[in-house]
Amino acid sequence: YGPYHAEDLQPEILALVRDRIMPANTRIAITGFGEPTMAPCFDELLDMALRNGSLVHFVTNASLLNFQRLERLTRASVHIGLSIDGATAATFESIRSGSNFERFVEKLAMIKKLRDINLSNSYSSFAFQFVAQRSNIHELADVVRLAHRFGIMRVNVADYAMGGREWDKESLRFMPDEANRCIEEARAVAAQLGVTLDTPPPYSPLEPAGR
């Protein structure tokens, strides 16, 4: 990625959120560029929102969702996206640097157990967020099966956004027929299991340069 400026939410802004916004707030997206649970103010924002009864939304790689956080989240009204890059350790860990597929699956098991204990399946919503690429599209159907196994009833598939980077070679626009076949396979599995699968439009071949 190109140069960018980023910083954590400053204490004086956080105080304004707490004093002026939160009393009337009904929904909060705790997000930014990167992993939201790494922010120093994440737990304070989460505490504010949960005490207030606000609907909490964020997308996370789950690496920092420990038992204490998950126990609270699975008792509350939340919409949480879990970033997943494959259904096997080899694919998952090759795409997401520093990740651990086994630990991710352990978090899924913890989420399912806590949602069952807290009887919160009707109001705590967890979904998979899957960025479709050459390296993982063949595992999309198994990602749907993994979701169903752990009570995750929605899989959101995002197209990889080309941006003039080396990773652009992973775009499914270079293999539209195979990409569409894998998506249709996953769609059939999702229909069978009752999982909602949200996918990009069918892929078409790249237009030649200059057209």
Side-chain angles (χ1 to χ4, degrees):
Y1 298 118
Y4 70 97
H5 173 75
E7 62 182 37
D8 291 316
L9 192 64
Q10 297 303 304
E12 60 271 20
I13 304 299
L14 187 61
L16 290 174
V17 171
R18 181 185 59 245
D19 298 337
R20 299 189 186 181
I21 296 175
M22 196 56 65
N25 182 259
T26 59
R27 178 183 175 93
I28 180 171
I30 306 176
T31 188
F33 190 93
E35 174 55 40
T37 57
M38 291 180 65
C41 64
F42 175 81
D43 286 302
E44 186 173 355
L45 273 171
L46 184 62
D47 285 339
M48 287 183 201
L50 295 183
R51 284 197 308 267
N52 190 59
S54 298
L55 173 65
V56 174
H57 167 71
F58 60 90
V59 178
T60 175
N61 61 28
S63 60
L64 297 179
L65 290 185
N66 55 26
F67 178 85
Q68 289 76 16
R69 283 174 170 171
L70 283 175
E71 202 280 327
R72 295 167 64 212
L73 289 168
T74 53
R75 288 189 286 111
S77 179
V78 296
H79 286 175
I80 297 175
L82 302 170
S83 297
I84 182 170
D85 299 299
T88 64
T91 299
F92 186 95
E93 294 172 10
S94 69
I95 293 175
R96 189 169 294 270
S97 178
S99 64
N100 185 301
F101 182 71
E102 183 178 350
R103 282 203 296 268
F104 181 80
V105 173
E106 288 173 356
K107 300 291 175 68
L108 297 180
M110 196 182 303
I111 289 167
K112 185 178 188 305
K113 175 61 74 174
L114 286 169
R115 292 177 80 200
D116 289 343
I117 290 171
N118 293 320
L119 303 176
S120 68
N121 287 283
S122 62
Y123 58 85
S124 69
S125 171
F126 289 77
F128 278 171
Q129 306 290 135
F130 179 88
V131 178
Q133 309 167 52
R134 275 178 180 259
S135 301
N136 64 11
I137 191 62
H138 63 287
E139 294 186 4
L140 180 56
D142 285 335
V143 167
V144 172
R145 293 184 180 98
L146 188 69
H148 179 262
R149 174 183 165 192
F150 291 104
I152 308 291
M153 301 311 291
R154 185 177 191 92
V155 177
N156 298 316
V157 181
D159 181 33
Y160 168 75
M162 298 175 70
R165 300 180 289 268
E166 182 184 356
W167 200 260
D168 286 356
K169 65 182 182 294
E170 286 290 314
S171 172
L172 294 176
R173 289 170 175 78
F174 295 113
M175 46 178 288
D177 293 341
E178 178 65 9
N180 292 333
R181 185 195 66 77
C182 291
I183 289 173
E184 285 306 310
E185 177 191 1
R187 202 185 305 280
V189 171
Q192 180 184 15
L193 297 178
V195 174
T196 299
L197 180 64
D198 184 21
T199 64
Y203 287 91
S204 301
L206 281 172
E207 289 286 331
R211 288 185 59 184

